[in-house]
């Protein structure tokens, strides 16, 4: 009977229940009442599905770093507000469709922080995508050539959280400028975006170029944005010295 039950669970893809049921067959297993045992099986299945969902979301996001909020360095010279970052850990900013703009010098930890917030969003069930901004624009240009542009932009639009890293390393040409405008316009007031850049927000206007489009993009980005300006010595340099 147990073999048949396990086979039926397998066919129903109840992987969490299978492990829980096998565990209950061991001599050291806890004695449960009928309702306790049912609750135990359901809880194990629920936990298994949630864990697999988080793994799937994290894999799909394609983060640059395997980062966690607990490892963010709050050293006083870095100008990071611990309370602000801990509020981001709840991901209320995602449900409220707010943006986060992270700036700081090379190696300051911008990418790590953006990735840590993104990992946290995945753990709470939010669809997230991470992009190096230059690689994103290259991909979008290629998709225009092969006819998949609208599909790619639609996929980005559906993400609860979009992370654009290394923004502003070089100025935008006309094609990239309009692609960025389309992405930001589609997400404005509906989804959240994190942008990490070496340049202060005040310099983004020049990087985007073409005043009318730059004004429109920045108005949509900055209006509902939480801003973090990381100071201090390069984290990469510190790690290397250690």
């Amino acid at each position: 009977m147990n073999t048949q039950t396990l086979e039926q669970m397998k066919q129903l893809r109840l992987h969490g229940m299978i492990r829980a049921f096998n565990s209950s067959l061991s001599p050291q297993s806890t004695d449960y009442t009928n309702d306790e045992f049912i609750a135990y099986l359901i809880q194990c299945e629920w936990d298994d599905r949630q864990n697999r969902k988080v793994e799937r979301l994290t894999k799909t996001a394609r983060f640059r770093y395997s980062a966690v909020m607990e490892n963010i360095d709050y050293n006083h010279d870095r100008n990071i507000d611990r309370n602000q970052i801990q509020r981001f850990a709840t991901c209320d900013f995602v449900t409220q469709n707010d943006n986060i703009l992270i700036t700081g010098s090379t190696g300051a930890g911008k990418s790590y922080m953006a990735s840590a917030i993104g990992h946290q969003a995945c753990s709470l069930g939010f669809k997230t995508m991470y992009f190096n901004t230059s690689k994103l624009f290259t991909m979008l240009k290629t998709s225009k050539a092969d006819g998949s542009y609208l599909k790619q932009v639609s996929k980005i639009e559906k993400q609860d959280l979009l992370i654009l890293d290394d923004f502003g390393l070089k100025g935008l040409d006309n094609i990239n400028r309009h692609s960025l405008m389309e992405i930001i316009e589609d997400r404005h007031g509906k989804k959240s975006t994190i942008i990490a850049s070496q340049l202060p927000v005040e310099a983004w206007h020049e990087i985007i170029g073409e005043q009318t489009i730059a004004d429109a993009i920045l108005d949509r980005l900055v209006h509902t944005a939480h801003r973090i300006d990381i100071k201090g010595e390069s984290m990469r340099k510190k790690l290397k010295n250690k």
Side-chain angles (χ1 to χ4, degrees):
M1 182 178 296
N2 289 338
T3 301
Q4 181 181 358
T5 299
L6 287 168
E7 181 59 33
Q8 290 172 336
M9 286 182 178
K10 184 178 180 180
Q11 292 182 22
L12 291 170
R13 299 182 180 179
L14 301 174
H15 305 295
M17 281 193 182
I18 290 173
R19 284 194 289 272
F21 191 78
N22 277 324
S23 177
S24 72
L25 298 178
S26 68
Q28 295 80 21
S29 64
T30 305
D31 289 329
Y32 294 102
T33 63
N34 289 339
D35 56 340
E36 287 175 339
F37 187 58
I38 293 172
Y40 169 65
L41 291 177
I42 292 175
Q43 185 64 54
C44 289
E45 181 61 28
W46 172 270
D47 290 343
D48 181 75
R49 293 192 181 199
Q50 287 298 110
N51 290 337
R52 283 188 282 126
K53 179 182 179 181
V54 171
E55 289 176 4
R56 184 173 66 253
L57 289 171
T58 303
K59 183 178 180 181
T60 302
R62 298 183 178 181
F63 292 108
R64 179 178 178 181
Y65 296 105
S66 179
V68 293
M69 303 288 286
E70 292 78 9
N71 286 346
I72 293 176
D73 185 354
Y74 294 102
N75 193 295
H76 71 278
D77 64 348
R78 302 193 70 215
N79 190 42
I80 299 175
D81 184 343
R82 182 188 294 268
N83 291 329
Q84 182 187 38
I85 303 303
Q86 288 177 343
R87 287 196 296 272
F88 292 156
T90 67
C91 287
D92 286 345
F93 78 94
V94 179
T95 58
Q96 295 167 4
N97 308 317
D98 291 343
N99 302 320
I100 299 177
L101 309 181
I102 307 174
T103 55
S105 59
T106 301
K110 305 177 300 296
S111 299
Y112 188 92
M113 181 178 290
S115 297
I117 297 172
H119 275 280
Q120 181 70 7
C122 288
S123 72
L124 295 177
F126 293 106
K127 292 185 292 183
T128 303
M129 289 193 77
Y130 169 97
F131 287 103
N132 171 282
T133 305
S134 296
K135 291 181 179 179
L136 170 63
F137 288 144
T138 299
M139 182 270 287
L140 290 177
K141 280 185 176 179
T142 302
S143 69
K144 284 189 174 184
D146 64 23
S148 63
Y149 178 79
L150 292 179
K151 180 180 178 181
Q152 295 294 345
V153 170
S154 177
K155 183 178 180 181
I156 292 171
E157 180 186 0
K158 293 175 182 176
Q159 302 303 309
D160 299 310
L161 177 60
L162 171 67
I163 300 174
L164 299 180
D165 196 10
D166 289 331
F167 176 78
L169 292 183
K170 59 181 179 179
L172 305 186
D173 61 24
N174 191 50
I175 295 176
N176 292 341
R177 186 162 44 243
H178 282 85
S179 293
L180 179 62
M181 179 65 208
E182 187 169 359
I183 290 171
I184 299 304
E185 174 65 25
D186 287 343
R187 300 181 61 78
H188 177 58
K190 296 182 289 186
K191 303 291 183 181
S192 294
T193 303
I194 296 177
I195 297 183
S197 174
Q198 294 181 22
L199 301 174
V201 174
E202 292 72 23
W204 292 6
H205 197 285
E206 183 179 351
I207 290 295
I208 296 171
E210 193 170 323
Q211 182 174 347
T212 302
I213 295 180
D215 286 343
I217 291 173
L218 292 177
D219 180 65
R220 287 159 175 76
L221 274 176
V222 178
H223 180 64
T224 56
H226 306 273
R227 294 169 66 167
I228 305 169
D229 184 25
I230 304 177
K231 305 291 186 182
E233 187 180 2
S234 168
M235 297 300 292
R236 296 194 190 103
K237 184 178 179 181
K238 284 183 179 181
L239 291 173
K240 185 177 180 181
N241 289 339
K242 286 182 180 180

